[in-house]
Amino acid sequence: MKKVISKVIGIVAIIFLYTPLIAQQQNAQNPVIFADVPDMSIVRVGNSYYMSSTTMHMSPGLPIMKSEDLINWRIISYAYDALADVDALSLNNGKQAYGKGTWASSLRHHNGTFYVSTFAQTTGKTYIYTTKDIEKGPWKVTAFQPSLHDHSLFFDDNGKVYMVYGSGKIKMVELKPDLSGINTAVPEKVIIENAGLPSGNNGGLPAEGSQLFKIRGKYYLFNISWPRGGMRTVLIHRSDNISGPYEGRIGLQDIGVAQGGLIDQPNGEWFAYLFRDDGAVGRIPYLVPVKWKDGWPVLGIAGKVPERLDLPASKGLIPGIVASDDFSPKAGDAELPLVWQWNHNPDAGLWSVRKRKGFLRLTTGRIDSNFLLAKNTLTQRTIGPYSSGTTSIDVSKMKDGDFAGLGLLQQNYGLIGVNIDGKDRYVVMIDAGTGKPIEKERVLLKQKVIYFRVDCDFIKRRDVANFFYSLDGKNWKAIGTPLNMAYTIPHFMGYRFGLFNYAKKQTGGYADFDYFHISDQPSVKK
């Protein structure tokens, strides 16, 4: 009997010990996406949520994601394949669009049609993309000048359509009924003279990132500011009329989580979707519970961003946001999964997953001086708190001067690859963590197939990457130096894994990538 009682007590103790852990695993936690998904705009249609985000100089661009629970997202489409055919967006003639391209978008659903608008410094235009089918498309585009900074597309109840935009001074324009441009018959109006005033107006980042909503007959405008000496702050203005006057207040000022707007659930619960700068991994999304009091949305729990949320647990970012790829598309499928984006506009004639079954072939077509100017670098996001990318490359058809491998794309990049020097092949690691690329190690390679791995540690903003190679895909050897990753404003984007091949001496060589595998577990043997 004593043994039975003891056993029962033990079982109860185990249940008691693990119940909190089980409960935690059943709940979502912030950040809801530990990856670079900034400038989110979210709409709900029925029980489904749709989100657009910023990827600037990447192609295809303006990603659209879908979720059934606000936590587990997957990429379902892009609004455009290429924004424009100009040198800066195509890495031609020494020009580039790092940190430019298209910025903060505004996603809306109105009378059965999806609209996503954005703007581009690179072209000086505002763009509106429309579709009836957000997953399959096609997307139609309308573009006009000027480029309206951080605008919010808004359909009012009276049938009129507006864009609210600006930095510091928030302005409003009415669009033509067909959305083909600004209705110049209606004068532009300043609706808030100084939107940053509630946060102190002491310099720093002026209020921007407008997102306008109409809820229960009132207009609510969300902005972000960054007061000098303070942190990124959510600002909310409210009015009974779209053109004002608006009264404003601080909506949230905690751990730098800011910029976004409001979303409701079918059950009547509300959340604010926002993001936070999180070092080298980029700008990562958070959800904050919202309660309504006296006609104002009240963000957070006692003004704080909660660690855990009363929402379903995340199933991970693989394969919805990032994914492994064996480069073997099935009949009828796209050649590349949606998780992939090219660094700037690609040259379609210089890459293929059809010329050799089960391989991505990257062929050189011009001479490039460095990784940041190289054509046809295929990328996808790194993810936190840890991510590891591996690939295998057949380098037998590379030519003298070619350099192909696996990189981490940002201004202060890191590379591991094979460099052909005359008749010899070398495994090379390059560290550009100081802003200047430095070859850290070179090892003679005597075989045609090589394996590379890059491990990224973003835990507590450690922001360190380590590089490895293998001759058999099983036994790994560290090479070079750890890369100290840094989020730089010129690129304005979190680090990305990149598969690359570029020529320094002659064109026509190619590298065949057998696969790219991504993991979020730091358990791979080193």
Side-chain angles (χ1 to χ4, degrees), residues 17 34 50 105 151-152 212 252 263 348 390 428 468:
L17 178 64
F34 207 145
Y50 300 93
S105 56
H151 66 253
S152 180
L212 181 64
L252 182 69
I263 191 70
T390 59
V428 176
F468 304 86

Side-chain angles (χ1 to χ4, degrees), residues 299-445:
L299 278 58
I301 307 298
K304 299 294 182 181
V305 176
E307 179 181 346
R308 301 203 170 271
L309 300 162
D310 188 17
L311 290 169
S314 172
K315 298 176 183 177
L317 305 185
I318 303 171
I321 304 299
V322 298
S324 297
D325 190 2
D326 291 329
F327 303 118
S328 299
K330 296 179 181 179
D333 288 349
E335 294 191 330
L336 292 171
L338 292 171
V339 294
W340 290 111
Q341 288 177 284
W342 297 97
N343 179 22
H344 292 67
N345 295 338
D347 185 333
L350 296 176
W351 70 271
S352 174
V353 292
R354 305 290 183 184
K355 290 184 177 180
R356 182 180 178 185
K357 188 176 181 181
F359 287 81
L360 165 71
R361 177 167 294 178
L362 296 180
T363 304
T364 63
R366 69 184 195 187
I367 306 300
D368 285 311
S369 59
N370 64 69
F371 176 58
L372 296 182
L373 293 177
K375 196 81 168 179
N376 284 14
T377 295
L378 186 61
T379 81
Q380 56 176 292
R381 296 168 177 83
T382 58
I383 60 176
Y386 176 92
S387 50
S388 177
T390 59
T391 190
S392 171
I393 313 176
D394 182 338
V395 300
S396 61
K397 299 301 182 181
M398 293 171 64
K399 292 187 176 183
D400 183 23
D402 289 359
F403 187 25
L406 175 61
L408 286 175
L409 177 63
Q410 234 278 356
Q411 170 102 356
N412 299 351
Y413 59 84
L415 305 176
I416 183 171
V418 171
N419 178 220
I420 309 300
D421 189 355
K423 296 182 179 181
D424 294 325
R425 305 183 184 104
Y426 293 91
V427 177
V428 176
M429 188 271 167
I430 293 178
D431 184 334
T434 62
K436 295 182 179 180
I438 301 172
E439 184 178 305
K440 291 295 186 176
E441 190 172 349
R442 173 177 287 245
V443 178
L444 184 66
L445 177 66

Side-chain angles (χ1 to χ4, degrees), residues 125-128 141-148 153 160-163 172-186:
K125 295 180 179 180
T126 296
Y127 298 81
I128 302 177
V141 61
T142 298
F144 57 86
Q145 293 179 321
S147 173
L148 300 180
L153 178 65
K160 294 184 178 180
V161 187
Y162 301 93
M163 279 187 173
M172 182 179 72
V173 293
E174 184 178 327
L175 301 184
K176 296 177 181 178
D178 62 359
L179 309 188
S180 61
I182 296 173
N183 183 358
T184 55
V186 179

Side-chain angles (χ1 to χ4, degrees), residues 286-299:
Y286 281 67
L287 282 176
V288 178
V290 172
K291 300 295 183 183
W292 290 87
K293 184 178 180 180
D294 300 327
W296 286 93
V298 179
L299 278 58

Side-chain angles (χ1 to χ4, degrees), residues 23 44 59 113 156 182 186 201 223 226 296 313 358 441 457 482 524:
R44 178 175 63 83
S59 179
T113 297
D156 210 349
I182 296 173
V186 179
N201 192 33
N223 292 103
W226 195 344
W296 286 93
E441 190 172 349
D457 182 354
V524 180

